[in-house]
């Protein structure tokens, strides 16, 4: 059973920073892609891709977060990080980490929630103005 666990959410004022962490397993000789998605208030049926990273260390970002968010991974510890800076009230959402172990993804696939099989429980990020 693949277990994905997020941590690090919280409340911050606009312009501030937060770092999210995600524990998700990697397997030897198994390709993977691990991504961050968010669900904004009032859009409970929609999860939008924020950033993703794969087993080749390729990174993918939504246009809305480029230059502000950075995704990275510590493969020795099976931990993924999302460093969020210059946060805006529009970044307020539940942030989910998700993993998939299929073949290599394109940039569009990496930011699509439909491509991921394993999900964490989510962590709340609230940005006040």
């Amino acid at each position: 059973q693949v277990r994905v666990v997020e941590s690090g959410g919280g409340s911050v004022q606009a312009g501030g920073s937060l770092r999210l962490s995600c524990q998700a397993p990697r397997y030897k000789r198994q390709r993977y892609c691990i991504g961050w998605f968010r669900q904004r208030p009032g859009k409970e049926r929609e999860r939008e891709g924020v950033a993703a990273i794969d087993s080749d260390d390729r990174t993918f970002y939504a246009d809305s977060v480029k230059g502000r968010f950075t995704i990275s991974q510590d493969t020795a510890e099976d931990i993924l990080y999302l460093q969020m800076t210059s946060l805006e009230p529009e970044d307020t959402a539940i942030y989910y980490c998700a993993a998939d172990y299929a073949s290599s993804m394109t940039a569009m696939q990496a930011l699509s929630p439909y491509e991921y099989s394993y999900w964490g429980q989510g962590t709340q990020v609230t940005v006040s103005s």
Side-chain angles (χ1 to χ4, degrees), residues 35-98:
W36 286 100
F37 298 81
R38 64 187 180 187
Q39 192 169 297
R40 299 194 203 187
K43 298 191 175 183
E44 282 74 23
R45 301 173 77 95
E46 181 184 325
R47 290 187 184 179
E48 59 176 297
V50 175
I53 191 166
D54 70 7
S55 46
D56 291 328
D57 229 19
R58 294 185 302 163
T59 56
F60 310 91
Y61 293 97
D63 288 343
S64 58
V65 305
K66 277 180 185 173
R68 299 190 299 123
F69 292 11
T70 303
I71 192 168
S72 61
Q73 60 183 338
D74 181 342
T75 54
E77 299 293 330
D78 283 354
I79 296 179
L80 186 80
Y81 299 105
L82 185 68
Q83 180 68 49
M84 306 186 293
T85 63
S86 301
L87 282 161
E88 302 164 354
E90 294 72 25
D91 295 316
T92 294
I94 301 172
Y95 283 73
Y96 294 89
C97 184

